[in-house]
Amino acid sequence: MKALQIKAYGGPEVMQIGELPEPDPKRGQVVVAIKAASVNPVDWKVRAGELKLITGRTFPKTLGSDFAGVVERLGIGVTEPPVGARVYGITPVMMRKPGAHAERLAVARKRLRLMPDSMSFEQAAALPIAGLTALNGLRKCGELHGKAVLINGGTGGVGHFAVQIAKARGATVTAVCSERNAGRARSLGADVVIDYRKQDFTAGSVRYDVVFDAFGHLKYPDVARVFTDDGTLVTTLPALPLIARAVWQKVVGGRHRIVLGNLRDHPEDYAELERLLAEGSVKPVLDKIFPLAEAAQAYAALEAGGTVGKVIIRIV
Ligand SMILES: NC(=O)c1ccc[n+]([C@@H]2O[C@H](COP(=O)([O-])OP(=O)(O)OC[C@H]3O[C@@H](n4cnc5c(N)ncnc54)[C@H](OP(=O)(O)O)[C@@H]3O)[C@@H](O)[C@H]2O)c1
């Protein structure tokens, strides 16, 4: 089978389509024939060696985390879902774990979620990491109805879900994005759009109850200037000073809250995302779709910036 592989950590040049033996499911695993996968920043960070503490130094490695496909074989101890079932999920980026940018993947049964009938493989592949991260970060902010919520990076993978979810929950939403994507941010539901190259929202006079940093580089002292009395800062990429401040605030308290908005993939989280999709309040945006043979270009598109929603690799 074909897979997007690396034989060393590095830049885009280390990626190549390699030929691998068909995977055998171990006990508790299922082999999924992958139909579509999406690219997340974690995938290019793995490729670049930024996560080598958890991804190790064994090569070749197959890249990729989010996938959607069809159950092909069941390992010992697995009785469902049946062969042919449409499933989606996330395979963890860890030492020796195979990635999802491949024709087939052996993955633990517990990582699989049945796809709703109405969902395409591309839509399902777009959801897990970005959608579940947006959902969890906003869930930790409590009631959003009537609140002023700012999404920094509002048209990216995580951000475009966060804008839609915050809007569905009744918030007034400001999206911070690049100028070329302003119209797309409005069509996702943003009431106000700020171009991050022209305006620094932390220097303005507008106050926010929640700042969701999907870009991940905001600093608390800057954001604190534009918080209401009980503002909450959610970040998907917590730097050490922010983690330290979050711990400190948990212990000693304070006016503002800092929330580490990591992905959570409990069944109830998937169910909530699927409900939002079914009712039409959330729709994954599929920016560009590449065949597996051009997977390196899918990475290049995401890394270059400017994409709206998700970049997809179609594997058929
Ligand atoms: N902790 C977790 O569990 C978790 C889960 C998912 C993601 N993450 C992390 O969260 C980050 C975002 O992920 P993603 O999938 O949303 O990535 P993405 O699709 O690349 O989106 C990043 C967004 O940030 C915007 N941006 C770039 N420069 C900016 C600036 N100076 N100010 C405001 N926005 C700016 C980009 O806009 P333009 O492209 O228009 O410039 C883009 O929309 C990544 O670092 C990722 O690793 C963490």
Side-chain angles (χ1 to χ4, degrees):
M1 68 156 188
K2 293 190 169 28
L4 178 68
Q5 293 204 299
I6 56 169
K7 291 189 175 148
Y9 292 124
E13 70 287 350
V14 300
M15 290 184 282
Q16 55 183 292
I17 301 294
E19 197 61 51
L20 283 179
E22 294 295 331
D24 270 328
K26 295 191 189 118
R27 175 176 283 277
Q29 283 189 332
V30 170
V31 171
V32 176
I34 298 177
K35 300 291 183 191
S38 71
V39 189
N40 289 282
V42 69
D43 301 323
W44 60 254
K45 290 176 187 178
V46 168
R47 186 208 65 214
E50 289 183 22
L51 305 173
K52 60 177 86 142
L53 271 182
I54 51 172
T55 54
R57 290 181 180 277
T58 319
F59 296 100
K61 279 188 195 309
T62 301
L63 300 172
S65 322
D66 278 343
F67 63 88
V70 173
V71 171
E72 202 171 74
R73 283 171 68 194
L74 304 181
I76 295 167
V78 182
T79 54
E80 54 74 45
V83 168
R86 291 165 13 113
V87 292
Y88 72 121
I90 308 166
T91 184
V93 289
M94 289 212 290
M95 236 168 265
R96 293 175 211 279
K97 292 263 188 218
H101 295 162
E103 289 179 322
R104 281 174 198 77
L105 171 72
V107 59
R109 162 63 187 97
K110 64 178 184 210
R111 295 273 167 196
L112 298 182
R113 172 91 186 162
L114 282 177
M115 276 173 57
D117 290 343
S118 58
M119 232 187 254
S120 70
F121 288 117
E122 289 79 7
Q123 286 177 322
L127 278 185
I129 290 185
L132 293 170
T133 302
L135 189 76
N136 193 38
L138 289 172
R139 184 182 60 80
K140 289 179 170 180
C141 299
E143 177 59 55
L144 294 183
H145 195 269
K147 298 277 174 73
V149 175
L150 179 141
I151 314 292
N152 192 45
T155 48
V158 176
H160 93 291
F161 283 119
V163 167
Q164 296 179 78
I165 295 168
K167 193 70 193 165
R169 303 239 155 111
T172 301
V173 180
T174 299
V176 179
C177 63
S178 52
E179 187 176 21
R180 64 183 151 176
N181 291 333
R184 304 296 296 276
R186 278 202 188 83
S187 66
L188 293 168
D191 301 283
V192 180
V193 179
I194 294 175
D195 171 7
Y196 62 76
R197 289 193 181 92
K198 288 201 181 131
Q199 193 184 330
D200 173 6
F201 78 88
T202 67
S205 57
V206 180
R207 298 278 176 267
Y208 301 96
D209 300 299
V210 171
V211 171
F212 185 115
D213 188 11
F215 176 52
H217 297 280
L218 292 176
K219 295 187 173 60
Y220 168 75
D222 297 333
V223 177
R225 290 199 297 265
V226 290
F227 263 153
T228 53
D229 282 346
D230 55 354
T232 302
L233 170 61
V234 189
T235 180
T236 58
L237 199 66
L240 265 180
L242 210 54
I243 296 173
R245 195 178 274 272
V247 174
W248 174 255
Q249 287 193 340
K250 245 192 170 154
V251 177
V252 300
R255 279 190 312 148
H256 302 149
R257 274 201 321 143
I258 294 172
V259 169
L260 310 181
N262 287 333
L263 147 81
R264 195 183 84 171
D265 63 348
H266 296 176
E268 63 268 29
D269 300 319
Y270 274 111
E272 174 69 358
L273 261 191
E274 289 163 3
R275 190 185 62 71
L276 288 164
L277 250 77
E279 72 182 28
S281 358
V282 168
K283 196 167 180 229
V285 173
L286 312 178
D287 185 291
K288 293 189 174 75
I289 302 181
F290 295 86
L292 180 60
E294 293 168 20
Q297 282 157 257
Y299 278 65
L302 184 66
E303 289 180 78
T307 52
V308 177
K310 299 291 297 177
V311 175
I312 303 292
I313 299 173
R314 189 179 278 144
I315 301 159
V316 205

